[in-house]
Amino acid sequence: MTERGVLLWIHGGGWRARSDENGAALAPLGLRVVTATYRFSREARWPAQLDDVRAAARAARATGGGLPLLVGGDSAGGMLALHLALRGVDRPGDVAAALAYWAPVDPLDAAQRRRRPAGDDPWADLLGHPPVDGDPATADAAVASHLGCGVPVLLVQGCDDVPVPAAQAVELAGRLLAAGHPTHLWLTHGGHALDLARPDLRAVAAAFLDHVLPATPAH
């Protein structure tokens, strides 16, 4: 298939490790998949991770041959992909679309904290302190604090996800739509870290890409 976009894939792992998912299952949909990494929370606090994936996005764009730049990721990487798309690489609106899979987006979600063992809070590790309402770093890390540039977003979420409650994706989808973002939400069976090659996930991604990317000219 002719390449119609470059996808910068950002890995998950709770901002403190690297998950196995590399986004390669999306390549057959006409994407050139480029992977990015970032400093873990034990190495640097937020927003260092956003700085790192912005640098990776600039490199991917520079070698992309003029193809549209999309960003995607799973879990913590999905959160970073959303920040990158909504806030921009260099300015809001310079990313074509975001594909976020089971992404934690709300550091103040009490349900997410209740599901984790005591003392194990990836958000606290990322920020350097527990998330607190009214705290500037907490607000900055919340994806919904950065809506409005109009970038299209795909959210994919398992209903039975334990680490990331499905309600986060549902609430964010509503807020994205209200802020004028073309938004596709696929709420499906299963938990965390689903297989991107699963037929329903693949079909949803394909439909989203057909919606946001220019049609490939016929030869």
Side-chain angles (χ1 to χ4, degrees), residues 17 24-25 36 58 67 69 83 91-92 101 119 128 144 149 161 163 173 183 194 215:
R58 292 186 187 104
L67 290 170
L69 175 66
H83 273 279
R91 64 187 183 280
Y101 294 83
C149 72
D161 194 329
T183 305
L194 304 176

Side-chain angles (χ1 to χ4, degrees), residues 70-218:
L70 301 88
V71 295
D74 64 310
S75 196
M79 174 267 203
L80 291 172
L82 288 166
H83 273 279
L84 187 55
L86 295 170
R87 303 170 77 161
V89 179
D90 295 307
R91 64 187 183 280
D94 62 2
V95 172
L99 297 84
Y101 294 83
W102 36 94
V105 298
D106 182 5
L108 293 175
D109 181 11
Q112 185 175 15
R113 292 198 297 275
R114 285 196 302 268
R115 296 182 185 192
R116 302 202 65 90
D120 178 20
D121 184 356
W123 285 107
D125 293 342
L126 180 69
L127 299 173
H129 55 77
V132 180
D133 191 17
D135 167 61
T138 301
D140 188 63
V143 170
S145 297
H146 306 284
L147 309 183
C149 72
V151 63
V153 173
L154 170 65
L155 300 173
V156 177
Q157 179 70 47
C159 292
D160 302 317
D161 194 329
V162 173
V164 180
Q168 287 195 26
V170 175
E171 181 178 355
L172 180 61
R175 298 185 70 170
L176 284 163
L177 287 167
H181 294 265
T183 305
H184 295 223
L185 169 63
W186 184 244
L187 194 61
T188 187
H189 64 280
H192 199 68
L194 304 176
D195 183 358
L196 295 189
R198 208 175 79 177
D200 64 321
L201 271 61
R202 181 185 174 95
V204 166
F208 177 72
L209 294 172
D210 287 344
H211 177 74
V212 301
L213 290 178
T216 302

Side-chain angles (χ1 to χ4, degrees), residues 10-87:
I10 307 171
H11 67 81
W15 307 290
R16 53 191 181 189
R18 183 167 191 150
S19 66
D20 293 333
E21 181 57 66
N22 61 11
L26 300 173
L29 302 179
L31 299 176
R32 182 190 307 171
V33 179
V34 179
T35 57
T37 190
Y38 47 89
R39 283 169 286 178
F40 296 144
S41 55
R42 65 176 178 274
E43 301 168 311
R45 303 303 186 194
W46 177 262
Q49 295 72 22
L50 179 57
D51 294 338
D52 293 345
V53 295
R54 274 181 164 148
R58 292 186 187 104
R61 186 174 58 192
T63 59
L67 290 170
L69 175 66
L70 301 88
V71 295
D74 64 310
S75 196
M79 174 267 203
L80 291 172
L82 288 166
H83 273 279
L84 187 55
L86 295 170
R87 303 170 77 161

